[in-house]
Amino acid sequence: MTRIFAASTLSLVLLAGCATGTANKVSPYSVYTPPKVGTVLEYTAYAAGEPDLNLKQVVVESGSDYALYANVSEMGKQPAEEDFFLEFSGVYWQVCGDVMPSASERQSLQTLWPIQQGNSTILSGTDLAGKPIPVDVSVVSTKISEDIGFGALPAFDVKTTFDVPETTTFIPELSVASRIEWGVPGTENYAGYDQLVSVTQATAGQYEDYVSFGKSRCLPAALR
């Protein structure tokens, strides 16, 4: 399991010289900064401890508290809703077409910043059968991440708990997730993890189809 598969032309002004969102901050944990439009992430998905798939995502839109990602197919497949997901405040994500956090829930996610271990909030959600189920979003640790080839960078782990917990390592200085654990290692529900291997920048128009589809179909009115 992976969020890579759970799920207008790029402006020269937006893309030229863009890098992932960084800002001068007192602390890297102080304020959420979304990744810039055109940021391209590549992950390796691991199952049973072995590399399984190579995965690519591109940021097609972002705002003060969200980023809209497209999972990019290398096979020329036309974009579909399940290829997109919205990530809110770097701590919670939802696949395009699913029920998005309400305005008050988005605000509660924003209040997890400044990031501190123990910060948490409860969102409303549903299980696979459509039954209401609370979703617990909690910061479980802050740390220095040194396992992805970008040097020693401050990071934090956020756990989202509903049917099966997911733990995401987010690096504020890169504005992206470096690792996503699907379930709890050592348990029968563990499905492996996705590991970030590169962060690059798209050229204008490179992902035109994904940008136009995502912005028209996957941004709730409140985000437009």
Side-chain angles (χ1 to χ4, degrees):
M1 178 177 179
T2 161
R3 76 176 180 178
I4 312 296
F5 292 125
S8 72
T9 302
L10 293 175
S11 167
L12 282 168
V13 174
L14 286 171
L15 290 177
C18 285
T20 51
T22 57
N24 294 324
K25 307 168 188 160
V26 174
S27 162
Y29 302 114
S30 62
V31 179
Y32 169 70
T33 304
K36 299 296 185 181
V37 172
T39 299
V40 179
L41 310 178
E42 294 193 32
Y43 292 85
T44 297
Y46 287 80
E50 297 295 329
D52 184 38
L53 295 169
N54 294 318
L55 312 163
K56 182 181 288 187
Q57 297 175 346
V58 60
V59 178
V60 298
E61 184 66 292
S62 64
S64 62
D65 74 323
Y66 72 90
L68 174 60
Y69 288 83
N71 297 306
V72 179
S73 169
E74 298 293 343
M75 305 300 292
K77 183 177 75 70
Q78 292 299 308
E81 284 192 356
E82 60 266 25
D83 297 325
F84 295 81
F85 66 92
L86 276 159
E87 181 180 72
F88 295 92
S89 296
V91 296
Y92 179 76
W93 63 275
Q94 191 61 274
V95 176
C96 175
D98 286 352
V99 177
M100 294 294 158
S102 65
S104 62
E105 288 177 327
R106 283 173 55 200
Q107 187 172 28
S108 73
L109 292 168
Q110 292 177 59
T111 62
L112 297 184
W113 293 80
I115 293 295
Q116 295 181 13
Q117 183 174 337
N119 285 3
S120 66
T121 190
I122 302 292
L123 308 179
S124 59
T126 58
D127 62 17
L128 294 178
K131 179 181 178 181
I133 183 173
V135 180
D136 186 331
V137 181
S138 301
V139 178
V140 294
S141 69
T142 58
K143 61 185 183 182
I144 299 298
S145 177
E146 298 184 270
D147 62 348
I148 58 170
F150 296 110
L153 294 174
F156 64 88
D157 290 331
V158 59
K159 181 178 286 186
T160 302
T161 304
F162 37 98
D163 285 350
V164 176
E166 301 162 1
T167 302
T168 298
T169 300
F170 190 85
I171 298 182
E173 291 185 22
L174 298 178
S175 298
V176 299
S178 64
R179 186 180 176 106
I180 308 99
E181 295 269 3
W182 305 103
V184 179
T187 65
E188 63 180 2
N189 66 15
Y190 185 58
Y193 63 94
D194 298 340
Q195 180 67 55
L196 182 69
V197 294
S198 74
V199 182
T200 57
Q201 199 66 30
T203 57
Q206 188 172 350
Y207 297 103
E208 177 181 345
D209 291 345
Y210 287 93
V211 173
S212 58
F213 185 99
K215 291 175 69 171
S216 64
R217 298 281 292 276
C218 298
L219 281 185
L223 297 178
R224 293 177 184 161

